Amino acid sequence: MADQTTPTLAAAAVSASSPSSPAVPSSQRVLLLHAPKQPYHVTHDYAVPALAHGRELLVRTRAIGLNPIDWKAPDFNFGLPELPYIAGRELAGDVAINTDAASRLQTGDRVLAISTDYRDLRKGAYQEYVVAWDYNTVRLPRHVSYEAGATVGVAFVAAVLALGVNLGVDFSGVEDGPDLLSLVRSLSSSSSSTALPADIRDECLSGIAETDRARPGDWLAIWGASSTSAHMAIQLARLAGLRVAAVVDTAKHGLRLAGHTDSFQSFSSSSPSWQPDLLVDSHDPERAVSILRASLGTKLRFGFDTRGRDTATSLLQALACSPGEKKAPSNPPSPPATPRTSDAGTTPAIESLSLSSSSTAPSPLSHLVGLTGLPKGAPPPGGVFHNVPIKLFHEVPEVGEALSLWLEKLLGSGRLVPPVVVGVDSGLESINAALDRMRAGEISGGRLVVRLEENSLEEITV
């Protein structure tokens, strides 16, 4: 935490800001958590955080996106590395100080800052000035408001890492996006000084085989499709050519997701990117599993759960690795992959391939990603469990920068639609009441945002 008696680099570097930018004060207002199970408290005259590295920026906060972790951490006493604590995972604002003249980000730029590094209190969003790595900072296009920008970051990072690393989706065909799995593995095998964090190394390097990677045409089931992470995952998966089955409470969210409230509804590939290809009602989990099994059969090898252990367990029962009889899908199976060219330079005829000729190759595995929990025990034969390696974003600059640059392109082109803003409050002092609404389960299908200045709300045109 910043020393409250020592002048900060931010205060000393005011002259580095552009003439049109407001001067950076030496102190600010922050929202502090002093103990678990207590509300946050507004604190005045708290030092503006210092910049400690050339790749760090100081961002003036305009809008803060609220996440469930902001109330779950104090309520259940986890994710609090020190007290008093400054929470908040994402914000949008303006670059106030950047000492690197060669940076792609300049003073005055409108940005969103994504703070997955919860151990560094300088990066907590619940303050007027926030430190951010340049590779974890995304420029906002003019048509995306501060409020809309403050809803995007954490959900995008969780979704893209789940798809790109855990499931091996290659995004290189979408706005020159990253092939994350190849990027991460190349870093490990090269002479790069970048080291993968030890606790996610196995997931990154051996979590999924090259032959198992999710490819265009494959099905992905998302349980808890009303969450903002699912909102991002649906779009990213469909942009990459995957087909998405969304399991959700259709009474609450069916109309928003697809314009229908039926328990089972199919859509064409021409649907907007945020609409799933298949919608399944989650009200009766057993029936939802039966629908997925009957509709997709052994085609369903990839699952992403956003809710917790119980729903992840249900989703596991629908995947191809789950024991039990599965009804064959009504559509014909995907054709076999084009055979590789032989050493002699000729391609064997497809007709010569048969099930028996490929019987020596291992069967593809099913993969389940749990954002907030996984089924108890070991996965069944033919199945693999995955945890999202969030640390890649802030601890591996090559990954963080690749994702930030790609997010800029997706937002700029309009191919990625931010989550719905379901409410906007004003001032740090309004955050406790907003978190109470989240605790009570009043907020779903969108995000709450807190703006720090009056009259800052812009029309959301995305």
Side-chain angles (χ1 to χ4, degrees):
M1 185 170 68
D3 186 342
Q4 299 301 291
T5 62
T6 303
T8 67
L9 177 60
V14 171
S15 60
S17 60
S18 67
S20 61
S21 300
V24 176
S26 60
S27 62
Q28 60 169 339
R29 297 169 74 241
V30 304
L31 203 62
L32 289 178
L33 179 72
H34 290 279
K37 303 182 186 302
Q38 290 188 7
Y40 294 92
H41 291 277
V42 177
T43 301
H44 299 261
D45 298 324
Y46 193 93
V48 170
L51 303 180
H53 190 279
R55 298 200 68 175
E56 290 184 344
L57 313 168
L58 189 70
V59 178
R60 182 187 183 192
T61 306
R62 299 285 190 173
I64 301 168
L66 305 187
N67 284 279
I69 189 67
D70 299 343
W71 67 264
K72 290 182 179 180
D75 281 15
F76 299 102
N77 193 16
F78 74 93
L80 303 174
E82 61 180 281
L83 292 170
Y85 184 64
I86 303 177
R89 295 289 177 266
E90 57 193 332
L91 65 117
D94 305 312
V95 176
I97 295 177
N98 183 4
T99 59
D100 182 3
S103 172
R104 65 183 175 86
L105 299 163
Q106 299 300 315
T107 301
D109 281 352
R110 300 171 69 254
V111 297
L112 71 92
I114 308 166
S115 176
T116 54
D117 184 8
Y118 70 95
R119 295 183 181 276
D120 189 342
L121 270 59
R122 301 174 307 147
K123 300 174 183 175
Y126 289 3
Q127 52 190 326
E128 292 176 322
Y129 288 89
V130 174
V131 170
W133 288 110
D134 60 356
Y135 57 82
N136 290 160
T137 305
V138 179
R139 281 179 297 193
L140 284 178
R142 296 305 304 179
H143 65 271
V144 178
S145 70
Y146 290 120
E147 286 73 20
T151 69
V152 173
V154 172
F156 171 81
V157 170
V160 74
L161 290 176
L163 295 173
V165 177
N166 297 129
L167 304 183
V169 176
D170 180 1
F171 295 107
S172 58
V174 183
E175 299 284 348
D176 295 320
D179 180 352
L180 287 172
L181 194 63
S182 296
L183 172 60
V184 169
R185 292 178 178 177
S186 69
L187 291 173
S188 175
S189 61
S190 71
S191 58
S192 169
S193 60
T194 299
L196 296 176
D199 56 342
I200 62 172
R201 185 176 178 83
D202 286 346
E203 176 62 55
C204 294
L205 301 184
S206 57
I208 189 168
E210 282 290 325
T211 54
D212 267 5
R213 296 177 67 159
R215 304 182 190 279
D218 285 338
W219 279 92
L220 166 70
I222 300 178
W223 202 301
S226 64
S227 74
T228 53
S229 294
H231 175 77
M232 291 293 166
I234 291 171
Q235 295 183 78
L236 294 172
R238 295 196 74 229
L239 287 172
L242 273 67
R243 291 176 285 184
V244 177
V247 185
V248 68
D249 184 340
T250 58
K252 289 183 179 180
H253 307 291
L255 185 62
R256 177 178 61 85
L257 278 175
H260 297 272
T261 54
D262 299 335
S263 62
F264 172 79
Q265 183 68 39
S266 181
F267 304 92
S268 70
S269 59
S270 62
S271 301
S273 63
W274 46 266
Q275 286 187 348
D277 299 276
L278 189 66
L279 188 63
V280 180
D281 191 0
S282 64
H283 179 71
D284 183 341
E286 290 186 7
R287 175 167 169 74
V289 170
S290 297
I291 290 173
L292 290 172
R293 283 188 165 197
S295 304
L296 303 179
T298 56
K299 283 186 173 184
L300 183 57
R301 293 197 301 114
F302 302 102
F304 178 37
D305 179 80
T306 72
R307 299 294 301 275
R309 174 172 289 171
D310 291 344
T311 51
T313 301
S314 294
L315 181 53
L316 175 63
Q317 297 170 7
L319 297 184
C321 64
S322 178
E325 182 180 356
K326 291 179 180 285
K327 181 179 178 181
S330 56
N331 295 326
S334 300
T338 303
R340 294 182 180 273
T341 302
S342 67
D343 293 337
T346 59
T347 301
I350 292 179
E351 289 80 359
S352 67
L353 299 177
S354 65
L355 292 176
S356 60
S357 66
S358 60
S359 60
T360 57
S363 299
L365 302 176
S366 295
H367 298 265
L368 175 61
V369 183
L371 188 60
T372 59
L374 285 165
K376 289 184 179 179
V384 183
F385 292 166
H386 300 272
N387 289 299
V388 182
I390 294 291
K391 281 186 178 181
L392 282 173
F393 183 65
H394 61 266
E395 293 199 15
V396 182
E398 293 88 342
V399 174
E401 190 151 43
L403 294 184
S404 295
L405 288 171
W406 190 43
L407 181 53
E408 283 184 12
K409 292 180 181 179
L410 292 172
L411 291 174
S413 66
R415 299 188 72 180
L416 191 73
V417 180
V420 175
V421 177
V422 297
V424 180
D425 294 317
S426 295
L428 291 172
E429 60 277 1
S430 71
I431 288 180
N432 281 316
L435 294 179
D436 283 343
R437 294 179 62 194
M438 296 172 68
R439 283 187 180 93
E442 296 177 12
I443 306 302
S444 62
R447 296 288 303 280
L448 284 178
V449 173
V450 170
R451 59 188 180 193
L452 294 197
E453 291 188 340
E454 293 295 333
N455 303 318
S456 69
L457 182 62
E458 302 169 335
E459 182 181 359
I460 299 170
T461 58
V462 175

